[in-house]
Amino acid sequence: ALTGLTGLVWLNISGLDNLVNVDDLGALANLKQLTLSRCKKLENIDALANLTALVDVDLYGCKRLRSIDGLAN
């Protein structure tokens, strides 16, 4: 799990075909840049709402994603 990597500032997990949500990323408080491009089954990014340091998110090709409410803050 990624929950122990609280100092992580950049993460590229693009192309993960079976990724449906990003719940495991919710504890990465220092994350500034996240690449999720081409995660074709990604449906939910609500857990990103807790990541207040996040400034750049790449969601290109996330065709099943229906809401970006997790980025509202």
Side-chain angles (χ1 to χ4, degrees):
L2 298 170
T3 54
L5 301 173
T6 56
L8 198 64
V9 294
W10 180 80
L11 181 63
N12 180 343
I13 51 175
S14 60
L16 292 180
D17 291 334
N18 293 317
L19 185 68
V20 177
N21 64 59
V22 292
D23 293 349
D24 290 340
L25 304 182
L28 302 177
N30 293 314
L31 197 64
K32 293 181 181 181
Q33 184 176 2
L34 177 61
T35 303
L36 295 165
S37 62
R38 297 180 323 277
C39 292
K40 297 174 184 176
K41 294 183 181 178
L42 183 63
E43 297 176 355
N44 185 319
I45 59 168
D46 290 347
L48 299 183
N50 299 327
L51 304 180
T52 57
L54 196 60
V55 293
D56 185 21
V57 181
D58 182 353
L59 297 168
Y60 176 80
C62 297
K63 298 177 181 187
R64 290 192 184 177
L65 188 62
R66 298 291 177 235
S67 170
I68 57 169
D69 290 345
L71 300 177
N73 295 334

